[in-house]
Amino acid sequence: MVVAYFLAPLDQLGPRRPALSWALFAGALCVVAGLLLREIRNVLVDRPRTRPGVMITLLILVTVHVFSTAYYALAKEPGQFAGDLRTRLDALYFTIVTLATVGYGDIAPSGQTSRTVAVIQILYSFVFLTAAATALTQRMRRVLERRAERDQGG
């Protein structure tokens, strides 16, 4: 996934093609949110033979790359970021720093569009990624409880 991010033709996104850029961003977030909600539902109903640990982890990584792509595209527009956000690695770094709520301050959204995307990332993380992590924790707890019951009973 990381290799695809660094090799994808992202230079076509940004100020030259704003409609395409926003459509891809919104579409990708909606698809990932739908898939995350499906995995959360699978955990809550304790659906057998599912692998939410793999899917949720993969979807979180996809989310990081979606936001990294958005920041990379936005950085092509002057005035969107204070600091040095020029490369895909810079965008990935900024996404992870924002996701982790570390906020070093070396790169900061300064334009209205970049601030909007940062707010969307924060809210998206609160709602979808927190729910997914909570569901995954519940699943792990149930698996460990079943294993303990089996070990005590057998």
Side-chain angles (χ1 to χ4, degrees), residues 45-119:
V45 300
D46 203 16
R47 188 175 203 168
R49 291 184 294 280
T50 59
R51 308 205 96 205
V54 172
M55 282 303 295
I56 288 173
T57 302
L58 178 65
L59 291 169
I60 289 171
L61 290 173
V62 169
T63 300
V64 166
H65 287 93
V66 168
F67 280 103
S68 294
T69 300
Y71 293 130
Y72 178 70
L74 280 172
K76 294 175 187 170
E77 199 171 314
Q80 287 300 320
F81 290 94
D84 198 20
L85 197 157
R86 291 177 301 149
T87 67
R88 294 175 196 222
L89 184 58
D90 294 337
L92 184 59
Y93 163 81
F94 178 73
T95 303
I96 292 170
V97 166
T98 302
L99 179 65
T101 68
V102 175
Y104 293 123
D106 54 342
I107 301 172
S110 56
Q112 294 303 298
T113 307
S114 60
R115 287 180 178 177
T116 300
V117 173
V119 167

Side-chain angles (χ1 to χ4, degrees), residues 43 48 52 82 94 98 102 105-106 117 123 132-133 138 142 145 147:
V43 169
F94 178 73
T98 302
V102 175
D106 54 342
V117 173
L123 294 174
Q138 288 178 352
R142 279 195 298 249
E145 287 171 354
R147 205 172 278 166

